[in-house]
Amino acid sequence: MRHGSYRFVASFLAIPLALYAIFVISPFAQAFYYSLTDWTGISPKFEFVGLENFKTLTRDAVFRTALGNNVVLLIGVPLITILLALTFAYLLNVGGRANSAGVQGVRGNGFYKLAFFFPQVLSVPVIAVIWSVVMNSTDNGLANSVTRRLGLGSSEYLASPDLALYCVMWVMIWGSVGFYLVLFNAAMSGIPKDIFEAAIIDGAGRAATFFRITLPLLWDTIQTAWVYLAILALDAYALVAVMTAGPGGPDNSTQVMGLQIADNGFQYGRAGYASAMGVVLFFLTLIIAAIMLRATRRDRIEY
């Protein structure tokens, strides 16, 4: 590249890089700095305490509970969401009967795509309010009304320490399946139908075409979806804050790291301690994303 070209490229990159440094890098750097102090979040005066906040974190039982709940969400949300979205996308694309027009999706697939995508137009607080009403622990709750009519009795749902976290997990999955269904559907639409038709003519069943054609050809999309869903599972703040009592649920059964950061930073006046939690969450997210990208890396299949 000639010398004059460097100036031309630098003139375009200077402003975006400056904005990125101010609004993205600078907040991270400040969080790292405040995590080493006893700042309250209000007073301009604070003391440097070194790694004391991180030592306190190792003895904080509520934070360990929140970390464990995030791990449960981290395992359940990506796994179930991707499984459901992939299955539905496969049925909508090639789940119908093969005829003279070739392999087709199930009848009415356009309506199903719209119906599954509908939760995406709702904000997270609205979804949380809707499901908190549905999962009301009284006999007047919608879920309890249905189960009682079916003779299955009633449940406490969000009021139960054993069920509350799984109720939150279900709502996260319900709200995410539609988006990833559309994502997988778009990726699946790019696969030539000839490949599926040739496999079916050769005697391959639906299960064989799913595992031996669809999954390998969509692997890059699945990998990306897995990382995004893992990041979503490490957050979960908005759902827990709106849906569960406390918030944090009975016996801290729905405590998550995002909620602990907000409580310590804005309610208890421990902004330095909350920053230490944020630093832990930052590195945890970074490590999990790197592990997932590394563990699921495969050679790309061209078609």
Side-chain angles (χ1 to χ4, degrees):
M1 188 178 290
R2 291 180 301 179
H3 181 68
S5 301
Y6 283 114
R7 291 183 179 178
F8 179 75
V9 173
S11 66
F12 278 94
L13 290 179
I15 294 178
L17 287 177
L19 292 175
Y20 186 81
I22 293 170
F23 294 108
V24 178
I25 303 298
S26 173
F28 279 114
Q30 290 182 51
F32 291 163
Y33 174 68
Y34 288 130
S35 69
L36 304 175
T37 70
D38 63 352
W39 187 41
T40 62
I42 299 175
S43 172
K45 297 180 181 178
F46 50 82
E47 299 290 334
F48 184 77
V49 297
L51 298 176
E52 189 57 36
N53 287 329
F54 294 97
K55 292 178 181 176
T56 305
L57 274 180
T58 61
R59 302 188 297 269
D60 190 335
V62 178
F63 181 74
R64 289 202 300 271
T65 301
L67 182 61
N69 290 337
N70 272 118
V71 171
V72 173
L73 296 175
L74 183 65
I75 296 171
V77 172
L79 187 65
I80 300 174
T81 302
I82 290 177
L83 184 64
L84 290 175
L86 263 180
T87 304
F88 293 144
Y90 180 77
L91 292 174
L92 294 179
N93 274 277
V94 293
R97 292 183 177 180
N99 51 32
S100 57
V103 176
Q104 295 182 338
V106 296
R107 181 177 297 178
N109 53 9
F111 169 76
Y112 293 129
K113 290 175 190 174
L114 184 64
F116 280 121
F117 191 74
F118 177 71
Q120 289 299 313
V121 304
L122 302 175
S123 65
V124 174
V126 171
I127 291 174
V129 170
I130 291 173
W131 278 101
S132 62
V133 173
V134 171
M135 295 178 178
N136 192 315
S137 59
T138 66
D139 290 342
N140 296 325
L142 180 59
N144 274 335
S145 299
V146 173
T147 54
R148 286 176 62 230
R149 283 184 178 275
L150 296 174
L152 300 176
S154 57
S155 300
E156 294 183 334
Y157 296 110
L158 296 169
S160 167
D162 298 325
L163 293 178
L165 182 64
Y166 298 101
C167 292
V168 173
M169 182 190 294
W170 161 250
V171 177
M172 291 179 74
I173 294 168
W174 181 85
S176 303
V177 164
F179 175 81
Y180 290 97
L181 183 153
V182 173
L183 182 69
F184 293 144
N185 177 72
M188 211 173 289
S189 300
I191 302 174
K193 292 288 179 66
D194 297 349
I195 298 176
F196 293 105
E197 292 168 1
I200 292 173
I201 290 173
D202 288 342
R206 299 292 182 177
T209 56
F210 179 77
F211 286 107
R212 296 187 178 184
I213 296 176
T214 306
L215 272 184
L217 294 180
L218 293 186
W219 194 254
D220 288 347
T221 309
I222 294 171
Q223 186 186 46
T224 304
W226 196 286
V227 173
Y228 279 121
L229 284 166
I231 294 172
L232 174 70
L234 287 174
D235 182 9
Y237 166 77
L239 280 179
V240 170
V242 177
M243 286 183 68
T244 60
D251 295 336
N252 291 319
S253 57
T254 61
Q255 277 286 356
V256 290
M257 287 187 285
L259 187 62
Q260 275 292 290
I261 292 171
D263 284 347
N264 281 279
F266 301 113
Q267 291 192 20
Y268 307 150
R270 304 171 70 189
Y273 189 56
S275 298
M277 292 181 178
V279 170
V280 171
L281 181 59
F282 169 79
F283 283 109
L284 190 61
T285 305
L286 206 63
I287 292 169
I288 289 172
I291 290 174
M292 287 185 169
L293 288 173
R294 177 72 178 175
T296 57
R297 189 171 63 182
R298 291 186 179 182
D299 293 333
R300 178 169 295 178
I301 300 174
E302 301 290 344
Y303 56 89

PDB file of all heavy atoms in Angstrom, residues 96-110:
ATOM      1  N   GLY A  96     -42.459 -32.092   4.994  1.00  0.00           N
ATOM      2  CA  GLY A  96     -43.685 -32.539   4.319  1.00  0.00           C
ATOM      3  C   GLY A  96     -43.437 -33.749   3.437  1.00  0.00           C
ATOM      4  O   GLY A  96     -42.317 -34.269   3.341  1.00  0.00           O
ATOM      5  N   ARG A  97     -44.510 -34.161   2.766  1.00  0.00           N
ATOM      6  CA  ARG A  97     -44.391 -35.329   1.872  1.00  0.00           C
ATOM      7  C   ARG A  97     -43.691 -34.931   0.570  1.00  0.00           C
ATOM      8  O   ARG A  97     -43.917 -33.843   0.048  1.00  0.00           O
ATOM      9  CB  ARG A  97     -45.775 -35.890   1.548  1.00  0.00           C
ATOM     10  CG  ARG A  97     -46.465 -36.532   2.745  1.00  0.00           C
ATOM     11  CD  ARG A  97     -47.780 -37.119   2.321  1.00  0.00           C
ATOM     12  NE  ARG A  97     -48.436 -37.813   3.426  1.00  0.00           N
ATOM     13  CZ  ARG A  97     -49.616 -38.418   3.316  1.00  0.00           C
ATOM     14  NH1 ARG A  97     -50.269 -38.392   2.165  1.00  0.00           N
ATOM     15  NH2 ARG A  97     -50.132 -39.028   4.369  1.00  0.00           N
ATOM     16  N   ALA A  98     -42.869 -35.838   0.067  1.00  0.00           N
ATOM     17  CA  ALA A  98     -42.236 -35.613  -1.227  1.00  0.00           C
ATOM     18  C   ALA A  98     -43.218 -35.977  -2.336  1.00  0.00           C
ATOM     19  O   ALA A  98     -43.886 -37.008  -2.280  1.00  0.00           O
ATOM     20  CB  ALA A  98     -40.977 -36.470  -1.345  1.00  0.00           C
ATOM     21  N   ASN A  99     -43.368 -35.096  -3.322  1.00  0.00           N
ATOM     22  CA  ASN A  99     -44.254 -35.367  -4.444  1.00  0.00           C
ATOM     23  C   ASN A  99     -43.549 -34.979  -5.745  1.00  0.00           C
ATOM     24  O   ASN A  99     -42.316 -34.825  -5.772  1.00  0.00           O
ATOM     25  CB  ASN A  99     -45.577 -34.611  -4.280  1.00  0.00           C
ATOM     26  CG  ASN A  99     -45.345 -33.133  -4.003  1.00  0.00           C
ATOM     27  OD1 ASN A  99     -44.362 -32.568  -4.479  1.00  0.00           O
ATOM     28  ND2 ASN A  99     -46.230 -32.525  -3.235  1.00  0.00           N
ATOM     29  N   SER A 100     -44.344 -34.798  -6.804  1.00  0.00           N
ATOM     30  CA  SER A 100     -43.743 -34.463  -8.097  1.00  0.00           C
ATOM     31  C   SER A 100     -43.022 -33.123  -8.073  1.00  0.00           C
ATOM     32  O   SER A 100     -42.129 -32.865  -8.882  1.00  0.00           O
ATOM     33  CB  SER A 100     -44.832 -34.428  -9.185  1.00  0.00           C
ATOM     34  OG  SER A 100     -45.841 -33.492  -8.826  1.00  0.00           O
ATOM     35  N   ALA A 101     -43.406 -32.260  -7.118  1.00  0.00           N
ATOM     36  CA  ALA A 101     -42.753 -30.945  -6.994  1.00  0.00           C
ATOM     37  C   ALA A 101     -41.472 -31.015  -6.176  1.00  0.00           C
ATOM     38  O   ALA A 101     -40.783 -30.012  -6.007  1.00  0.00           O
ATOM     39  CB  ALA A 101     -43.720 -29.941  -6.344  1.00  0.00           C
ATOM     40  N   GLY A 102     -41.150 -32.206  -5.664  1.00  0.00           N
ATOM     41  CA  GLY A 102     -39.930 -32.377  -4.872  1.00  0.00           C
ATOM     42  C   GLY A 102     -40.227 -32.361  -3.384  1.00  0.00           C
ATOM     43  O   GLY A 102     -41.375 -32.438  -2.957  1.00  0.00           O
ATOM     44  N   VAL A 103     -39.176 -32.227  -2.586  1.00  0.00           N
ATOM     45  CA  VAL A 103     -39.315 -32.201  -1.129  1.00  0.00           C
ATOM     46  C   VAL A 103     -39.883 -30.862  -0.696  1.00  0.00           C
ATOM     47  O   VAL A 103     -39.439 -29.805  -1.150  1.00  0.00           O
ATOM     48  CB  VAL A 103     -37.937 -32.443  -0.480  1.00  0.00           C
ATOM     49  CG1 VAL A 103     -38.042 -32.325   1.030  1.00  0.00           C
ATOM     50  CG2 VAL A 103     -37.414 -33.813  -0.861  1.00  0.00           C
ATOM     51  N   GLN A 104     -40.877 -30.898   0.192  1.00  0.00           N
ATOM     52  CA  GLN A 104     -41.515 -29.665   0.652  1.00  0.00           C
ATOM     53  C   GLN A 104     -41.627 -29.662   2.169  1.00  0.00           C
ATOM     54  O   GLN A 104     -41.498 -30.707   2.822  1.00  0.00           O
ATOM     55  CB  GLN A 104     -42.915 -29.534   0.027  1.00  0.00           C
ATOM     56  CG  GLN A 104     -42.890 -29.379  -1.479  1.00  0.00           C
ATOM     57  CD  GLN A 104     -44.279 -29.213  -2.049  1.00  0.00           C
ATOM     58  OE1 GLN A 104     -45.260 -29.613  -1.416  1.00  0.00           O
ATOM     59  NE2 GLN A 104     -44.375 -28.644  -3.241  1.00  0.00           N
ATOM     60  N   GLY A 105     -41.901 -28.486   2.714  1.00  0.00           N
ATOM     61  CA  GLY A 105     -42.143 -28.381   4.149  1.00  0.00           C
ATOM     62  C   GLY A 105     -43.571 -28.767   4.483  1.00  0.00           C
ATOM     63  O   GLY A 105     -44.371 -29.080   3.599  1.00  0.00           O
ATOM     64  N   VAL A 106     -43.894 -28.759   5.784  1.00  0.00           N
ATOM     65  CA  VAL A 106     -45.250 -29.107   6.199  1.00  0.00           C
ATOM     66  C   VAL A 106     -46.230 -28.042   5.698  1.00  0.00           C
ATOM     67  O   VAL A 106     -45.861 -26.893   5.444  1.00  0.00           O
ATOM     68  CB  VAL A 106     -45.343 -29.221   7.732  1.00  0.00           C
ATOM     69  CG1 VAL A 106     -44.478 -30.354   8.239  1.00  0.00           C
ATOM     70  CG2 VAL A 106     -44.924 -27.897   8.390  1.00  0.00           C
ATOM     71  N   ARG A 107     -47.501 -28.436   5.537  1.00  0.00           N
ATOM     72  CA  ARG A 107     -48.511 -27.497   5.038  1.00  0.00           C
ATOM     73  C   ARG A 107     -48.711 -26.350   6.037  1.00  0.00           C
ATOM     74  O   ARG A 107     -48.759 -26.575   7.249  1.00  0.00           O
ATOM     75  CB  ARG A 107     -49.832 -28.243   4.846  1.00  0.00           C
ATOM     76  CG  ARG A 107     -50.947 -27.365   4.303  1.00  0.00           C
ATOM     77  CD  ARG A 107     -52.193 -28.164   4.077  1.00  0.00           C
ATOM     78  NE  ARG A 107     -51.994 -29.211   3.067  1.00  0.00           N
ATOM     79  CZ  ARG A 107     -52.953 -30.079   2.721  1.00  0.00           C
ATOM     80  NH1 ARG A 107     -54.148 -30.013   3.290  1.00  0.00           N
ATOM     81  NH2 ARG A 107     -52.691 -30.993   1.796  1.00  0.00           N
ATOM     82  N   GLY A 108     -48.815 -25.144   5.521  1.00  0.00           N
ATOM     83  CA  GLY A 108     -49.000 -23.971   6.381  1.00  0.00           C
ATOM     84  C   GLY A 108     -47.720 -23.494   7.041  1.00  0.00           C
ATOM     85  O   GLY A 108     -47.757 -22.850   8.098  1.00  0.00           O
ATOM     86  N   ASN A 109     -46.563 -23.807   6.441  1.00  0.00           N
ATOM     87  CA  ASN A 109     -45.290 -23.442   7.091  1.00  0.00           C
ATOM     88  C   ASN A 109     -45.112 -21.928   7.231  1.00  0.00           C
ATOM     89  O   ASN A 109     -44.463 -21.465   8.170  1.00  0.00           O
ATOM     90  CB  ASN A 109     -44.091 -24.063   6.354  1.00  0.00           C
ATOM     91  CG  ASN A 109     -44.093 -23.740   4.879  1.00  0.00           C
ATOM     92  OD1 ASN A 109     -44.898 -22.923   4.429  1.00  0.00           O
ATOM     93  ND2 ASN A 109     -43.213 -24.368   4.129  1.00  0.00           N
ATOM     94  N   GLY A 110     -45.691 -21.145   6.326  1.00  0.00           N
ATOM     95  CA  GLY A 110     -45.593 -19.690   6.438  1.00  0.00           C
ATOM     96  C   GLY A 110     -46.256 -19.181   7.710  1.00  0.00           C
ATOM     97  O   GLY A 110     -45.726 -18.305   8.409  1.00  0.00           O
TER      98      GLY A 110
END
